[in-house]
Amino acid sequence: MALHTEPFILNIGPVHPSTHGVFRIRATLDGEVIVDIEPVFGYLHRGVEKLAEQRTYTGIIPLTDRMDYITSMSNNLAYVLAVEKLAKVKVPERAEYIRVIMAEMQRICNHLVAAGAFINDCGAFFTPFLYMFREREKLMDLFEMVSGQRLTYNYMRVGGVSQDLPAEFLPALRKFLKEMPAHIAEYERLINDNEIFLARSRMIGILPKELAINCGISGPVARASGVKWDLRKADPYGIYDRFEFDIPTGTVGDANDRYTVRIAEMKQSLRIIEQAVEKIPAGPVISDVPKVLHPPVGEAYGHLEGPKGELGFYLVSDGGIAPYRFHVRPPSLINLTALRQMLIGWKIQDAITIFGSIDITMGEVDR
Amino acid sequence: MTVALAGKDIGPQIEKALPGSVLESAPGYVMLKPEFLVQAATFLKNDPAMAFDYLNFVTAVDYYDYFEAVYQVTSMTHNHTLMFKTRCYNRVDPVIPSIINVWQGADFQEREVYDLLGVYFEGHPNMKRIFLWEGFEGHPLRKDYL
Amino acid sequence: MTELFANPWFHWAFYTVLLISFALGAVMGLIYIERRGMGRMQSRLGPNRTGPFGLLQAVADAVKVLLKEDIVPANADKVVHWLAPIVAFVPVLLIFAVVPFMNGAMLADLNIGILYVFAIGSISSVGIFMAGWSSSNKYSLLGAMRDVASIVSYEIPLVLAIIGVVILAGSLSTNEIVKAQANIPFILLQPLGFIIFFAAACAEINRSPFDLLEADSELVAGFHTEYSGMKFAMFYLVEYAEALAMCAIISTIFLGGWQGPVLPPWLWFLVKTFGMFYVMVWTRTTFPRVRIDQLMALAWKFMLPLALINIVVTAIEVVIWPTPAGLPWVLIIVNFAVAGILIVTWSRLMKYGWGRVETTLR
């Protein structure tokens, strides 16, 4: 006689150590195995898109800081790229280089958090997390030098950046560039061949290539599945066509691939920063842009390869001082599209690992 | 560099494949009739010359008279991109067909549009609010929402 | 003095007081070692504000946690919820009864000391399950289920790993086992047994990488999610007292207990016990956590067969070289070779976990 059983419904989150904010997974379990999940969003919804409709184009920049607070600089950049596309503003050469340096530093910053948090989700007790935060701290110091802030930078401006690099910035950055490869090698030595880490991450949460493309998944998650798609190469915004770098891709699309792709991307970012530091010219950092922008009537979609994926801004202008419509293409939210397919059939512990390997920030998912 | 395909070139091609589907072929976008949206999307995705396999984003804009759904698609094989739109003139119960069966990536984004703008996507299997709670009144991104 | 100790009532009273104060005091030491040691390993300072070098951190923690409000969930089974920390704590304290601090310095020199340890030690999982069940919290329940599963599985390799030692020592009494290690600690004669025992002990007391039942990244806090205040402190105490007990047992049966040159015996015992705990802290900061099916696979597919092979090998050795004179170099070399070869080949052959499970609701 078959034993009568009932599904076990577990609410993972919204307040949970591993949901990277206030995300909730409503999981139906059969023992420890996940039968069905339903992601629930909205606990951090602040209505950024509505707020932006009442602000000037410059006034929106701080709002974008607070979307994905791990990657504020990239958010700033994506937004000003969209506005520049809309208002057809030229950017001075030096500002372009500064932007590239900042965006790549931000990418390293994000991947340090992502990789550290991912291993934490695998169950390591904060050691890799803290090792990676040690280097992130140095990056935050660098960001503080240029913008005065450590998390929400508000540094990019339409037509350039808000201020020039201070004199001590480039030497400090060079020192960081010299030190960082050894630290990355240290992470690889400590983590990559750890038997338990491999057992927990290899062949876990496989995202097939076709599914990744169909779900609109971008960034390291898509590249780990073998999608060789990087907007820095495919659609080089700014001056990215001047730099040499590779696009690391995974083969299987499992959690371990997503981790290794992130580590490899950090190395490529270091390469880009090195080239940019070498070639950075002198000159103005912001072009002559009116204090209050009145972009012509029209629409523009500006996007960039953010640390988490394709981060885009769709702006509609009615000629006024504020955008008529301000839409964000949030990579964090869209990368979760395939979450259900990825989680079903795995255990709760794997679910946490897989979810951690996607790397989202709730501030951007909910906005 | 991703080539932004001009709506003026693509519009006639869609019109040829699906007569009566295109309303307007502007330089920046193609305006499609809502009834033909899913068919046109399928055509754009499956036609080897188009091969738009990747959906960048879905959103909608409230223009008081009508809601305009905006879709941006990219082809990873040809590295070109296209924006197409569709309109819905009903303000009380705006309905637009869902393209989730063509690109699954539209899943959360269509729900978001429904949540914030109140445009119902017909054919979406789970069309309910995504950010705001059930029972929230109104749709905040509408221009007349205060 | 000896006359006084000959009086059983005085003996019991003395050792009861001593053991309880030792357990509580040493737990504070363990907490200090864990927090400071983990801090060092994680390239941070660790608590250093309370007292010199942060020595009073455990006291501050204890005071804080004791002053907290005791919250019982509305749907909890209140009696069981109240009882669970006690049921979990008492057996742990009882283990110390057979731990020899010096030659014969123990509460009860049972002739089945080792058996007693494992018989008593597994009772605390009943307390943990009571806690998980009575909290009426799903995370607690999952944690408690995992605890029962891991205890049931790991008890077997844990006990089997000891049998090699028992064969060598010829006794089940802990004091006799220590005495048998006068020349050489059993870790050298039983390397495989030690490794299995250490890993199984980590699983038994839910230390990382087997700390699934309180896996903070997935189960929040596992079975004690709904505990606060004094009761939470009890579980905290259980956790470290268990670790202390296991380290004491390991140092007794594998590291030669109080045996050692120069230093007084009780100090040797403490050094070995705390040293073992330091190794546990080290593994905790180093390893991620295994999955529940991998945990089971490791117990049943790896540790159990290897522990059985270890018994056979030890038994054969004892028959071939009955009482070696001086240091048994042959035994050491053979045993290390056997351990190395077995672990390497078996880990190649073994496959743990089965990954994705196709499932539908029944």
Side-chain angles (χ1 to χ4, degrees):
Chain A
M1 194 188 94
L3 198 64
H4 173 72
T5 55
E6 272 183 32
F8 185 76
I9 292 169
L10 184 69
N11 272 307
I12 305 175
V15 182
H16 186 278
S18 289
T19 50
H20 300 241
V22 280
F23 183 53
R24 175 169 145 217
I25 303 173
R26 192 172 171 276
T28 310
L29 306 177
D30 177 13
E32 290 245 351
V33 180
I34 289 175
V35 185
D36 195 12
I37 67 138
E38 192 199 346
V40 182
F41 313 94
Y43 296 96
L44 210 58
H45 180 67
R46 292 152 295 174
V48 166
E49 294 186 4
K50 184 77 176 175
L51 286 172
E53 286 174 11
Q54 273 107 45
R55 273 168 173 69
T56 60
Y57 284 90
T58 318
I60 291 170
I61 298 172
L63 283 184
T64 66
D65 275 334
R66 283 148 185 83
M67 277 170 21
D68 184 350
Y69 37 81
I70 311 279
T71 66
S72 306
M73 213 52 114
S74 305
N75 298 352
N76 287 177
L77 182 54
Y79 169 69
V80 296
L81 281 176
V83 179
E84 280 158 13
K85 208 166 166 181
L86 189 67
K88 298 184 184 59
V89 176
K90 284 269 174 290
V91 182
E93 193 79 337
R94 185 173 171 84
E96 291 277 22
Y97 276 93
I98 294 174
R99 283 179 175 189
V100 167
I101 292 172
M102 292 302 151
E104 295 307 317
M105 274 164 63
Q106 190 71 80
R107 191 182 312 279
I108 298 174
C109 214
N110 176 70
H111 286 354
L112 284 172
V113 177
F118 166 58
I119 303 165
N120 229 26
D121 289 343
C122 288
F125 194 82
F126 288 104
T127 313
F129 192 66
L130 285 163
Y131 271 54
M132 290 179 179
F133 262 52
R134 190 181 58 193
E135 269 62 64
R136 181 169 178 259
E137 197 65 24
K138 294 172 189 165
L139 281 167
M140 306 255 269
D141 289 344
L142 289 172
F143 283 131
E144 194 180 2
M145 269 184 213
V146 295
S147 68
Q149 298 292 329
R150 292 171 65 81
L151 205 62
T152 50
Y153 308 113
N154 188 18
Y155 181 58
M156 305 285 173
R157 290 288 182 278
V158 178
V161 296
S162 70
Q163 54 212 301
D164 200 356
L165 300 175
E168 69 271 22
F169 176 79
L170 281 179
L173 180 60
R174 285 206 184 90
K175 183 163 167 282
F176 174 79
L177 288 175
K178 206 183 271 173
E179 288 169 356
M180 191 60 189
H183 288 306
I184 295 180
E186 185 187 19
Y187 308 146
E188 289 182 325
R189 209 167 56 238
L190 287 173
I191 297 157
N192 281 18
D193 293 330
N194 187 312
E195 181 65 31
I196 299 176
F197 174 65
L198 290 180
R200 287 298 309 280
S201 64
R202 230 186 230 166
M203 306 308 281
I204 302 289
I206 295 171
L207 177 67
K209 190 177 173 181
E210 291 69 35
L211 185 66
I213 296 176
N214 195 29
C215 287
I217 286 166
S218 52
V221 183
R223 285 194 283 279
S225 299
V227 184
K228 209 173 169 67
W229 182 258
D230 189 323
L231 289 174
R232 290 174 294 172
K233 285 268 191 207
D235 186 15
Y237 48 92
I239 51 162
Y240 268 102
D241 42 358
R242 299 184 202 169
F243 299 105
E244 254 180 51
F245 61 97
D246 305 321
I247 309 173
T249 51
T251 45
V252 196
D254 57 5
N256 193 34
D257 269 351
R258 292 193 270 279
Y259 161 77
T260 42
V261 161
R262 288 201 177 97
I263 297 287
E265 272 188 19
M266 286 204 272
K267 292 182 193 165
Q268 298 304 324
S269 290
L270 286 177
R271 259 177 87 186
I272 298 174
I273 300 176
E274 267 164 20
Q275 296 169 40
V277 168
E278 254 170 48
K279 288 193 267 185
I280 185 165
V285 291
I286 187 157
S287 59
D288 202 12
V289 180
K291 279 269 182 306
V292 180
L293 272 173
H294 291 270
V297 179
E299 58 186 4
Y301 175 62
H303 58 177
L304 59 68
E305 185 66 34
K308 294 192 165 69
E310 178 186 339
L311 174 64
F313 286 84
Y314 173 71
L315 302 173
V316 179
S317 164
D318 57 353
I321 55 165
Y324 183 76
R325 176 83 167 93
F326 171 91
H327 175 71
V328 191
R329 184 225 190 261
S332 291
L333 173 67
I334 295 169
N335 284 357
L336 287 177
T337 308
L339 186 71
R340 190 167 172 273
Q341 277 117 313
M342 284 159 84
L343 288 193
I344 287 180
W346 297 99
K347 301 200 166 48
I348 316 168
Q349 282 185 293
D350 293 322
I352 301 291
T353 316
I354 296 164
F355 180 69
S357 72
I358 298 174
D359 175 30
I360 60 157
T361 306
M362 286 320 285
E364 187 174 79
V365 173
D366 294 341
R367 278 161 291 136
Chain B
M1 198 59 141
T2 308
V3 184
L5 293 180
K8 266 190 277 194
D9 307 333
I10 303 299
Q13 291 185 42
I14 303 174
E15 178 72 27
K16 207 174 126 195
L18 299 161
S21 60
V22 177
L23 283 174
E24 183 194 353
S25 299
Y29 57 88
V30 182
M31 184 67 69
L32 297 168
K33 266 191 193 163
E35 309 89 72
F36 287 94
L37 183 71
V38 179
Q39 291 169 41
T42 318
F43 166 74
L44 287 171
K45 190 187 178 190
N46 295 338
D47 186 70
M50 311 279 187
F52 288 108
D53 46 7
Y54 184 83
L55 177 76
N56 287 65
F57 73 89
V58 180
T59 188
V61 190
D62 179 10
Y63 285 107
Y64 291 105
D65 302 336
Y66 53 87
F67 288 103
E68 190 174 81
V70 186
Y71 304 81
Q72 173 107 22
V73 286
T74 304
S75 164
M76 286 188 173
T77 39
H78 302 306
N79 199 2
H80 57 214
T81 178
L82 175 76
M83 183 179 281
F84 60 91
K85 299 180 175 181
T86 187
R87 279 177 189 170
C88 174
Y89 286 86
N90 185 347
R91 201 166 172 81
V92 186
D93 286 312
V95 176
I96 288 173
S98 167
I99 55 159
I100 187 168
N101 292 324
V102 188
W103 294 288
Q104 203 199 326
D107 186 351
F108 292 152
Q109 304 183 60
E110 284 182 347
R111 276 180 70 188
E112 185 189 334
V113 170
Y114 169 67
D115 190 358
L116 301 178
L117 278 153
V119 179
Y120 192 89
F121 285 88
E122 206 165 26
H124 191 292
N126 190 22
M127 187 87 303
K128 55 182 191 185
R129 286 186 183 273
I130 183 167
F131 295 145
L132 303 171
W133 56 97
E134 294 296 328
F136 186 89
E137 273 181 35
H139 302 279
L141 269 186
R142 285 191 181 185
K143 287 287 172 186
D144 53 5
Y145 181 92
L146 291 172
Chain C
M1 198 67 184
T2 34
E3 275 171 40
L4 208 53
F5 273 101
N7 179 351
W9 293 109
F10 179 78
H11 180 89
W12 287 356
F14 177 78
Y15 276 106
T16 310
V17 172
L18 181 78
L19 286 180
I20 291 175
S21 47
F22 167 74
L24 296 179
V27 160
M28 292 219 168
L30 294 191
I31 293 171
Y32 179 74
I33 289 177
E34 170 133 42
R35 298 195 60 177
R36 291 289 284 185
M38 253 166 42
R40 293 294 302 160
M41 288 172 199
Q42 297 176 341
S43 75
R44 59 187 172 88
L45 290 171
N48 64 349
R49 293 287 140 163
T50 38
F53 311 107
L55 272 169
L56 297 178
Q57 185 62 41
V59 181
D61 282 351
V63 170
K64 183 199 85 172
V65 95
L66 294 185
L67 294 176
K68 289 233 163 176
E69 187 191 349
D70 174 33
I71 300 165
V72 182
N75 287 336
D77 187 334
K78 299 209 171 44
V79 178
V80 182
H81 191 265
W82 178 82
L83 212 56
I86 300 162
V87 175
F89 184 57
V90 170
V92 181
L93 214 52
L94 288 177
I95 292 177
F96 290 103
V98 295
V99 174
F101 292 83
M102 290 198 282
N103 188 8
M106 53 210 286
L107 177 61
D109 188 1
L110 299 179
N111 54 3
I112 49 147
I114 286 293
L115 268 181
Y116 167 83
V117 167
F118 300 115
I120 292 292
S122 48
I123 293 178
S124 64
S125 73
V126 174
I128 288 174
F129 192 78
M130 283 164 70
W133 178 258
S134 64
S135 296
S136 85
N137 176 316
K138 286 173 180 177
Y139 290 114
S140 304
L141 187 59
L142 276 171
M145 297 284 206
R146 287 179 179 183
D147 178 61
V148 172
S150 72
I151 290 276
V152 166
S153 309
Y154 276 88
E155 201 83 328
I156 297 162
L158 192 74
V159 175
L160 290 180
I162 292 291
I163 292 182
V165 170
V166 173
I167 292 172
L168 286 173
S171 171
L172 281 168
S173 153
T174 44
N175 202 35
E176 293 301 317
I177 288 174
V178 177
K179 276 184 187 166
Q181 302 178 66
N183 290 333
I184 180 165
F186 281 149
I187 183 174
L188 296 176
L189 297 176
Q190 286 286 320
L192 187 59
F194 172 75
I195 290 168
I196 294 173
F197 187 85
F198 181 71
C202 280
E204 176 97 4
I205 61 174
N206 313 305
R207 295 285 308 183
S208 184
F210 308 109
D211 56 342
L212 287 111
L213 83 167
E214 50 198 64
D216 61 310
S217 64
E218 57 237 21
L219 290 189
V220 190
F223 64 94
H224 57 54
T225 307
E226 295 290 1
Y227 278 87
S228 63
M230 185 73 189
K231 290 185 204 155
F232 173 76
M234 286 288 270
F235 275 119
Y236 203 66
L237 200 62
V238 168
E239 196 178 310
Y240 283 93
E242 266 187 330
L244 180 70
M246 272 302 166
C247 292
I249 295 297
I250 289 174
S251 58
T252 302
I253 58 184
F254 283 108
L255 302 179
W258 39 265
Q259 305 264 20
V262 189
L263 297 176
W266 59 270
L267 192 57
W268 265 116
F269 173 78
L270 286 183
V271 165
K272 286 168 180 172
T273 306
F274 279 71
M276 273 325 291
F277 185 74
Y278 195 76
V279 177
M280 282 185 176
V281 174
W282 189 13
T283 54
R284 183 176 183 198
T285 50
T286 311
F287 291 123
R289 186 180 300 119
V290 297
R291 204 168 56 206
I292 182 80
D293 54 324
Q294 293 164 347
L295 182 85
M296 295 295 124
L298 194 67
W300 294 103
K301 294 194 205 163
F302 187 85
M303 290 190 180
L304 180 63
L306 255 58
L308 288 171
I309 292 170
N310 187 45
I311 294 172
V312 174
V313 171
T314 315
I316 292 170
E317 281 168 355
V318 169
V319 171
I320 299 173
W321 300 291
T323 39
L327 278 180
W329 287 111
V330 195
L331 271 178
I332 294 173
I333 293 164
V334 167
N335 276 326
F336 266 91
V338 167
I341 293 167
L342 271 178
I343 289 173
V344 170
T345 49
W346 211 280
S347 54
R348 290 274 159 81
L349 294 172
M350 193 194 86
K351 186 177 171 294
Y352 47 40
W354 49 83
R356 193 168 181 277
V357 183
E358 291 293 338
T359 170
T360 46
L361 277 185
R362 278 165 294 191

